[in-house]
Amino acid sequence: MMDLNADLGEGFGRWTLTDDEALLSVVTSANVACGFHAGDPSVMRRVCALAAERGVRIGAQVSYHDLAGFGRRAMDVPADELAAEVAYQIGALRVFAEAAGSTVSYVKPHGALYNRTVRDAGQARAVVEGVLLAGGGLPVLGLPGSELLGAAGEAGLTPVREAFADRAYTPEATLVPRREPGAVVEDADAVVRRAVGFAVDGGVEAADGSRIAVAARSLCVHGDTPGAARIAARVRAALEDAGVTVGAFT
């Protein structure tokens, strides 16, 4: 079984980025922006209502407080401050999820915070502390082998391993930084092939051509990629054709 997740609610005011309605017809888990890198109360409320209506699990996509940089700029945030900001974002989303008859089912960091918590144990523990502060013992979605998933497991939370169909990998099984050429896989056929490879073979070809193992329970297709909904639909169809059951991990 493989979960299919996408980043949603990445709009603000009159500005929109993700085709939330179309993606919610395909994915099984929705990483909803909580206002720190994107999203606002109206967007969060609308996406939660749509997700609840379609039976899609709602996840809090928490971020550094970086609306201008879309959460992709490196920041140094004290651990206690970061924990409070993570809890704040989860709590805000929970209001709208519960109003829609659903709940926040998991937490996933976004952008620079996601990448930082792969190797930074202090920031990883701060994110986990924020999840605990928010209550509910929520699962944490992250990169296999990351400090984040290690800290989540040590704290008694459920760590959920994630793979990216549309991102290039280093030979060390980490993501190629977005500033480097080829970091984002733009060819739809390649994205589909990689998705099936993760689910069926448990691995992918790294940027240097080597083969790396990536054991994942959830597969991400970025919502801000051009044609994201169409690509996600193709990924889901290909997974099902390969005999993979597509279903939420929560």
Side-chain angles (χ1 to χ4, degrees):
M1 182 178 286
M2 181 66 76
D3 175 60
L4 190 60
N5 78 75
D7 303 343
L8 300 176
E10 292 183 330
F12 190 84
R14 297 178 62 186
W15 174 71
T16 58
L17 179 62
T18 50
D19 188 348
D20 298 327
E21 189 161 359
L23 283 164
L24 284 167
S25 297
V26 179
V27 300
T28 49
S29 296
N31 317 316
V32 183
C34 298
F36 272 36
H37 76 279
D40 64 23
S42 294
V43 171
M44 293 162 68
R45 182 181 184 184
R46 177 178 57 82
V47 174
C48 285
L50 286 170
E53 179 183 295
R54 299 178 187 190
V56 176
R57 301 296 189 271
I58 297 170
Q61 186 158 48
V62 298
S63 169
Y64 285 128
H65 203 172
D66 181 29
L67 191 60
F70 196 60
R72 287 181 176 162
R73 297 186 291 191
M75 303 182 75
D76 288 313
V77 181
D80 58 345
E81 184 177 333
L82 179 57
E85 290 183 347
V86 167
Y88 179 94
Q89 292 174 78
I90 296 168
L93 187 66
R94 183 176 281 139
V95 168
F96 299 115
E98 292 182 353
S102 185
T103 189
V104 174
S105 296
Y106 64 95
V107 177
K108 174 184 173 179
H110 165 82
L113 182 58
Y114 187 99
N115 293 325
R116 181 75 172 267
T117 57
V118 171
R119 294 193 174 95
D120 190 320
Q123 294 282 275
R125 287 194 297 269
V127 170
V128 170
E129 182 183 342
V131 176
L132 294 172
L133 182 61
L138 299 174
V140 177
L141 191 59
L143 206 68
S146 64
E147 291 287 347
L148 176 64
L149 294 192
E154 290 173 3
L157 302 177
T158 301
V160 182
R161 298 184 300 270
E162 176 182 37
F164 293 82
D166 53 7
R167 289 294 306 277
Y169 279 76
T170 70
E172 294 74 36
T174 59
L175 301 179
V176 173
R178 280 183 175 268
R179 64 179 178 275
E180 296 184 13
V184 177
V185 180
E186 297 179 345
D187 179 74
D189 292 338
V191 173
V192 173
R193 286 196 305 272
R194 291 161 65 88
V196 174
F198 282 123
V200 176
D201 301 324
V204 71
E205 184 179 293
D208 67 350
S210 62
R211 183 76 181 175
I212 57 173
V214 181
R217 176 63 182 84
S218 185
L219 188 63
C220 179
V221 178
H222 281 92
D224 60 345
T225 302
R230 175 180 53 80
I231 294 171
R234 287 189 57 192
V235 165
R236 178 161 186 161
L239 290 173
E240 292 173 341
D241 286 346
V244 178
T245 299
V246 178
F249 60 83
T250 58

